Amino acid sequence: YFAQVGGKRVRNRYPQFCISNPEFVRFVADYYIRVFGDYGGVGILNFCAEDVQEGWCECEKCLAMDNVDNRGKAILEVSTRYAKCIKRISDAIWKAHPKATLVYMAYSNFVYPPEGVVFDKRMRVQYCITNRCYGHELDDASCDRNVSRLGTFRDWVKMGVEMMTYEYLTCTKNFYVPTEHVEAHDIRYMFENLNTRGWNNE
């Protein structure tokens, strides 16, 4: 179940797993199928890997799950590999509990939309907009940083999934700066144009 790093299976140093392992996928799916069953088949499950950029499995099967163009730098950007794993788990859960609410957190080094993965239309994606600028509205074309973040947002929307956000205003240490007008504009913009149904800001 544990990630192979430097040619060895590592249990304690890194908290990642070998997500190409079908037994691992089945173990996780079966666990949450039981949990949802305890609650009548309903509830919310957020999928998110550990909040670290390192320790992803380097075995051949995991590397083969990455984008073809991304091999060799797979540990830096693992969106496609991670999405393939989550799709297998979520499909198994929905087969048993079709009313379960499943949320894919697009975060860290799996923030970008995967290639060649088609999620069930019931999947919700919570896009974690890290390092965006709150001095400008999200759709302000003069702000290069927000142009980049909005571009990733739109790429997710093209996948046909329902969007949610997870934002980090407090990470910028600007507690004294009034941002309510920017945030109000952005919420209207996202809900009206980007298939957004949920908003969160720390």
Side-chain angles (χ1 to χ4, degrees), residues 129-134 166-177 179 183 199-202:
I129 313 180
T130 56
N131 300 317
R132 63 151 293 184
C133 168
Y134 288 96
Y166 196 102
E167 302 190 43
Y168 302 85
L169 174 65
T170 58
C171 290
T172 59
K173 303 182 184 300
N174 60 347
F175 302 110
Y176 60 90
V177 177
T179 61
E183 293 183 88
W199 176 85
N200 181 82
N201 202 333
E202 288 192 339

Side-chain angles (χ1 to χ4, degrees), residues 95-109:
K95 186 175 181 180
H97 303 296
K99 294 184 179 180
T101 299
L102 306 181
V103 181
Y104 178 104
M105 290 197 74
Y107 179 59
S108 188
N109 52 346

Side-chain angles (χ1 to χ4, degrees), residues 95-126:
K95 186 175 181 180
H97 303 296
K99 294 184 179 180
T101 299
L102 306 181
V103 181
Y104 178 104
M105 290 197 74
Y107 179 59
S108 188
N109 52 346
F110 44 98
V111 69
Y112 299 107
E115 293 185 4
V117 178
V118 179
F119 283 127
D120 187 289
K121 297 300 182 183
R122 290 170 288 185
M123 181 66 79
R124 298 181 184 181
V125 171
Q126 188 162 28

Side-chain angles (χ1 to χ4, degrees), residues 137-174:
E137 295 166 346
L138 185 61
D139 59 328
D140 187 335
S142 70
C143 178
D144 291 340
R145 180 174 294 186
N146 285 352
V147 167
S148 173
R149 300 305 181 270
L150 181 58
T152 302
F153 203 134
R154 286 174 171 154
D155 287 340
W156 275 109
V157 173
K158 291 176 184 176
M159 293 187 66
V161 293
E162 185 174 280
M163 298 297 296
M164 302 163 63
T165 69
Y166 196 102
E167 302 190 43
Y168 302 85
L169 174 65
T170 58
C171 290
T172 59
K173 303 182 184 300
N174 60 347

Side-chain angles (χ1 to χ4, degrees), residues 30-55:
D30 288 348
Y31 173 80
Y32 284 108
I33 287 171
R34 291 196 303 273
V35 171
F36 277 111
D38 290 340
Y39 292 90
V42 296
I44 300 175
L45 170 61
N46 264 15
F47 291 110
C48 190
E50 292 286 347
D51 187 9
V52 292
Q53 298 267 323
E54 57 187 0

